[in-house]
């Protein structure tokens, strides 16, 4: 068979696969099966209906914005003519990773396309921001949805407007487009018709071999979690064990990626007996597991298991993101419940990584939180018993759409390239579901109603809890560029606790700001021993420090770690080993 015949055969196969996908999607639409869409199309429609009404009632800001646009566009056109006829240099403008090809700056046509797009995008967003008469929630949603549209329309996302893709097409005779269409079909087939570009080589990593390799054993498990105890790396260890509570929205091994950036491995090397909760990847059987269940069968069950394994009733605890929200709620419950089995003293110190307790300023996640959208999620979860993992993944990707969506559309589909192996992005693609009861409670009580910060706002086990009753020494680490847990919000939560609190502000974002080993010597952090009334005051009085916050936390922990004792082997205490780390719960993949 000739090359041409072979290529025709391959194209016929692709066409058949495309038709099969289209038919499957049509059948799914006609079947009436429940689907949760992010963003919710009705929310988008209602948001822009409200925006249009506001513009009609007060058109002056929009008219002024249009006048400003045509003025600036006229100036840009005049500049482009000078560049063409007089050879004037194309302005480079602000750095933007989408426009890194040299033709965007050296070619007048592409230079004009770039500048025209950036000008239009800026004015569209400014026009929406200038609209008067919208409530804050609607205004925030309008700005967010507008940004999604503007970024989706970037010329770099289309073949004709992307010089790098055009060059690849000419050089390869269109091979990049053939490969790109193949990648598109593979993604649609893998994701049940949803457009979710592959971010990394999904076959490049295996848990326990390339990532999540810190040696240990599962020593306890129940329906909601496995508890892993890590093997010691030192002859002596601190007497007080360390419990790590990760978020249940993602898998715990974000803290145990490659050995060089594993926080869990580093903690073991500092002499801690480290235990970590590995949450179950839930299905319909877990639909009724709520926030209180995660406290009792997660945090409290882990305390009992650690006591059985080590003989120690007291632990130091650390928790990441919403794992920290759960830890804070558990501490407040222990402080208020008068339960002799779980006095607040069982946790000697608590560290909170990018944790919100006060959700007054939830950042862009607040775009997805209102009665209309939560009502749609409730109906979907009532039918399914859980929220699909791809829904949460989609939300987080939209917060950084150019980095986590459109860059891969260009790389995978226009350029026809394979994504690079990257441990962090592999973890990002390893989604988890949310039990209906848990997720409903969390979104409403924390985000929508924001009552966790209020005395008695949340009731667990029949006990009204109050963050102000927590006297446990606490360490808060937040990230300056965090788009999921804005540091100003985490700071507000830190001020609710009544024990000694150390607040530290690291660099970068929600992940890189936490997974920041000392060996990397990146970002640095800021400290301020005081907790003034506002984040701005705290920042003004802070001092910059070099290195990683890991070493700062380790120094802060020293009064709570206890005397050195002989190293503990997993399974060598009161609990037998069940299986090797990282355990079976974390290996569960979504269908």
């Amino acid at each position: 068979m000739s090359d041409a015949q072979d290529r025709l055969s391959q194209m016929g196969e692709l066409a058949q696969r495309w038709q099969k996908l289209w038919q499957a999607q049509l059948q799914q639409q006609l079947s009436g099966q429940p689907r949760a869409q992010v963003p919710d199309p009705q929310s988008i429609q209602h948001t822009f209906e409200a925006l249009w009404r506001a513009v009609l009632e007060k058109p002056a800001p929009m008219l002024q914005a249009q006048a400003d646009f045509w003025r600036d566009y006229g100036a840009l056109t005049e500049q482009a003519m000078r560049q063409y006829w007089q050879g004037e240099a194309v302005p480079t403008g602000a750095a933007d990773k989408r426009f890194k090809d040299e033709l965007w700056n050296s070619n007048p046509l592409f230079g004009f396309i770039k500048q025209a797009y950036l000008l239009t995008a800026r004015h569209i967003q400014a026009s929406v921001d200038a609209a008067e008469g919208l409530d804050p929630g609607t205004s925030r949603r309008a700005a967010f949805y507008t940004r999604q549209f503007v970024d989706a329309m970037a010329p770099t996302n289309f073949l004709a407007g992307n010089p790098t893709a055009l060059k690849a097409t000419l050089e390869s005779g269109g091979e990049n487009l053939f490969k790109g269409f193949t990648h598109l079909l593979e993604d649609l087939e893998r994701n049940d018709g949803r457009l979710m570009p592959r971010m990394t080589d999904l076959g490049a990593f295996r848990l326990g071999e390339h990532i999540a390799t810190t040696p240990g054993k599962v020593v306890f498990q129940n329906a909601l979690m496995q508890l892993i105890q890590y093997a010691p790396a030192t002859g002596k260890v601190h007497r007080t064990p360390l419990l790590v509570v990760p978020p249940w929205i993602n898998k715990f091994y974000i803290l145990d990626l490659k050995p060089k950036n594993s926080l869990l491995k580093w903690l073991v090397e500092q002499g801690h007996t480290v235990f970590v909760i590995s949450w179950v990847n839930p299905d319909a059987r877990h639909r009724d597991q709520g926030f209180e269940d995660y406290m009792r069968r997660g945090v409290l069950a882990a305390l009992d298991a650690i006591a059985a394994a080590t003989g120690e009733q007291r632990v130091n605890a650390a928790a990441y993101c919403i794992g920290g929200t759960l830890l804070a709620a558990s501490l407040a419950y222990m402080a208020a419940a008068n339960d002799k089995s779980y006095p607040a003293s069982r946790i000697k110190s608590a560290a909170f990584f990018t944790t919100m307790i006060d959700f007054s300023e939830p950042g862009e996640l607040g775009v997805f939180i209102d009665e209309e959208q939560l009502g749609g999620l409730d109906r979907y979860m009532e039918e399914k018993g859980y929220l699909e993992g791809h829904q949460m993944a989609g939300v987080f990707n939209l917060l950084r759409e150019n980095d986590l969506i459109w860059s891969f559309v260009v790389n995978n589909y226009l350029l026809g390239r394979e994504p690079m192996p990257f441990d962090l992005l592999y973890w990002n693609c390893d989604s988890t579901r949310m039990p209906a009861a848990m997720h409903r409670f969390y979104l409403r009580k924390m985000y929508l109603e924001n009552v966790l910060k209020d005395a008695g706002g949340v009731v667990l086990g029949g006990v009204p809890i109050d963050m102000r009753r927590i006297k446990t020494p606490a360490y808060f680490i937040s990230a300056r560029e965090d788009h999921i847990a804005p540091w100003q919000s985490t700071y507000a939560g830190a001020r609710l606790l009544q024990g000694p609190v150390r607040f530290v502000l690291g660099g970068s974002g929600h992940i890189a700001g936490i997974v920041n080993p000392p060996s990397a010597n990146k970002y640095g952090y800021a400290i301020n021993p005081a907790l003034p009334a506002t984040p701005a005051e705290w920042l003004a009085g802070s001092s910059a420090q070099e290195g990683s916050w890991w070493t700062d936390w380790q120094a802060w922990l020293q009064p709570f770690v206890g005397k050195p004792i002989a190293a503990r082997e997993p399974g060598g205490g009161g609990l037998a080993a069940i299986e090797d780390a990282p355990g079976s719960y974390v290996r569960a993949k979504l269908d």
Side-chain angles (χ1 to χ4, degrees):
M1 183 181 291
S2 68
D3 291 343
Q5 290 175 319
D6 186 49
R7 179 47 54 90
L8 283 174
S9 176
Q10 292 173 342
M11 293 177 67
E13 180 186 347
L14 292 179
Q16 291 177 353
R17 290 166 61 187
W18 180 262
Q19 183 179 22
K20 184 178 179 181
L21 269 171
W22 181 83
Q23 291 174 340
Q25 289 301 301
L26 180 61
Q27 290 175 355
Q28 191 173 53
Q29 291 290 333
L30 295 176
S31 70
Q33 295 179 6
R35 295 192 67 149
Q37 293 179 272
V38 178
D40 182 357
Q42 285 192 334
S43 174
I44 298 175
Q45 176 185 338
H46 294 164
T47 295
F48 284 104
E49 286 174 351
L51 174 64
W52 184 239
R53 286 194 298 269
V55 169
L56 290 177
E57 291 174 1
K58 295 183 178 181
M62 183 67 74
L63 292 174
Q64 182 60 53
Q66 289 183 349
D68 293 342
F69 168 74
W70 288 114
R71 181 200 64 216
D72 292 346
Y73 195 82
L76 175 64
T77 304
E78 183 180 334
Q79 180 189 69
M81 295 299 290
R82 291 198 306 269
Q83 292 163 5
Y84 182 77
W85 293 108
Q86 301 177 19
E88 186 175 302
V90 178
T92 58
D96 189 321
K97 290 186 291 186
R98 295 174 294 180
F99 300 100
K100 61 185 179 182
D101 192 291
E102 54 88 19
L103 281 178
W104 289 114
N105 296 323
S106 63
N107 183 283
L109 175 59
F110 280 111
F112 178 75
I113 292 173
K114 168 189 170 181
Q115 296 299 331
Y117 164 74
L118 293 175
L119 172 69
T120 304
R122 185 171 65 252
H123 276 284
I124 289 175
Q125 292 173 299
S127 298
V128 172
D129 292 341
E132 298 178 355
L134 294 174
D135 65 82
T138 303
S139 179
R140 183 169 57 240
R141 286 192 293 275
F144 180 83
Y145 296 146
T146 299
R147 194 188 81 206
Q148 298 301 319
F149 169 78
V150 164
D151 286 340
M153 291 296 104
T156 48
N157 298 335
F158 303 91
L159 176 63
N162 190 318
T164 307
L166 286 172
K167 287 186 288 187
T169 303
L170 292 173
E171 291 169 359
S172 69
E175 183 68 18
N176 59 306
L177 300 181
F178 181 81
K179 290 181 178 178
F181 186 61
T182 302
H183 293 162
L184 173 63
L185 279 177
E186 290 171 349
D187 289 339
L188 291 171
E189 289 168 341
R190 184 176 59 255
N191 296 304
D192 193 28
R194 297 180 299 276
L195 181 58
M196 297 180 66
R198 186 161 50 98
M199 297 181 181
T200 187
D201 181 354
L202 298 177
F205 301 99
R206 286 189 295 274
L207 295 181
E209 296 182 35
H210 309 102
I211 50 180
T213 60
T214 303
K217 303 285 185 182
V218 174
V219 294
F220 174 82
Q221 67 183 33
N222 58 31
L224 281 183
M225 64 92 167
Q226 287 187 319
L227 186 68
I228 300 170
Q229 178 182 352
Y230 288 100
T234 55
K236 296 283 187 179
V237 296
H238 305 303
R239 178 168 185 168
T240 305
L242 176 64
L243 169 64
V244 178
V245 183
W248 55 91
I249 282 180
N250 300 106
K251 295 185 177 180
F252 83 88
Y253 66 89
I254 184 60
L255 300 174
D256 189 30
L257 291 169
K258 293 180 179 178
K260 67 178 182 180
N261 61 359
S262 169
L263 175 58
L264 298 180
K265 178 177 183 292
W266 186 84
L267 288 169
V268 169
E269 291 170 347
Q270 308 313 304
H272 295 282
T273 302
V274 178
F275 292 81
V276 67
I277 289 175
S278 174
W279 299 107
V280 73
N281 201 346
D283 54 33
R285 294 170 298 176
H286 302 89
R287 64 182 307 133
D288 296 323
Q289 299 297 306
F291 195 86
E292 183 180 331
D293 295 295
Y294 273 67
M295 178 186 74
R296 291 193 180 280
R297 306 176 81 175
V299 175
L300 301 186
L303 293 178
D304 291 340
I306 292 171
T310 66
E312 295 295 323
Q313 290 292 317
R314 306 183 69 193
V315 306
N316 292 307
Y320 193 179
C321 190
I322 61 173
T325 307
L326 176 65
L327 176 60
S330 301
L331 282 166
Y333 169 82
M334 295 165 74
N338 197 28
D339 185 338
K340 294 181 179 179
S341 297
Y342 302 106
S345 60
R346 288 197 66 176
I347 297 180
K348 295 172 68 173
S349 74
F352 299 92
F353 308 162
T354 62
T355 292
M356 288 200 295
I357 301 171
D358 183 334
F359 290 74
S360 299
E361 295 295 334
E364 288 191 329
L365 282 176
V367 167
F368 304 95
I369 308 297
D370 56 46
E371 281 289 357
E372 179 182 38
Q373 295 186 80
L374 293 190
L377 283 179
D378 285 348
R379 290 188 292 273
Y380 178 83
M381 291 190 295
E382 184 64 28
E383 178 76 21
K384 299 281 288 187
Y386 53 84
L387 183 68
E388 295 279 11
H390 68 80
Q391 299 295 342
M392 291 303 303
V395 166
F396 291 128
N397 291 346
L398 284 172
L399 301 183
R400 294 176 55 204
E401 66 280 0
N402 285 326
D403 289 336
L404 297 180
I405 298 176
W406 297 114
S407 68
F408 294 104
V409 167
V410 172
N411 181 81
N412 300 5
Y413 305 154
L414 294 186
L415 300 179
R417 296 172 180 168
E418 294 287 342
M420 296 291 290
F422 188 16
D423 55 352
L424 178 57
L425 290 178
Y426 178 87
W427 167 85
N428 193 59
C429 296
D430 194 3
S431 300
T432 56
R433 299 186 183 101
M434 301 294 109
M438 157 61 86
H439 207 51
R440 185 181 300 115
F441 180 96
Y442 176 70
L443 291 181
R444 288 190 175 277
K445 293 297 182 183
M446 280 53 165
Y447 277 98
L448 185 64
E449 301 173 15
N450 188 25
V451 293
L452 183 62
K453 64 178 175 52
D454 300 330
V458 168
V459 177
L460 297 175
V463 177
I465 66 172
D466 182 0
M467 294 294 140
R468 293 155 191 83
R469 298 191 64 173
I470 299 175
K471 304 294 195 300
T472 306
Y475 183 101
F476 280 77
I477 171 66
S478 298
R480 192 183 296 261
E481 300 169 18
D482 196 333
H483 60 290
I484 295 174
W487 79 268
Q488 294 85 350
S489 289
T490 65
Y491 182 79
R495 295 189 76 249
L496 293 173
L497 278 59
Q498 297 301 299
V501 173
R502 181 175 179 83
F503 187 87
V504 177
L505 183 61
S508 194
H510 192 73
I511 302 298
I514 299 303
V515 185
N516 181 28
S519 59
N521 196 29
K522 294 170 66 176
Y523 308 132
Y525 57 96
I527 59 173
N528 183 344
L531 283 178
T534 67
E537 291 177 88
W538 184 94
L539 188 61
S542 67
S543 59
Q545 309 292 313
E546 295 184 354
S548 169
W549 66 270
W550 292 12
T551 56
D552 184 75
W553 176 40
Q554 170 67 7
W556 179 87
L557 265 177
Q558 289 311 298
F560 312 109
V561 299
K563 297 179 179 180
I565 62 170
R568 306 176 177 106
E569 291 293 336
L575 293 179
I578 298 173
E579 60 179 322
D580 289 338
S584 54
Y585 281 18
V586 74
R587 297 181 189 276
K589 300 285 186 181
L590 302 188
D591 297 331

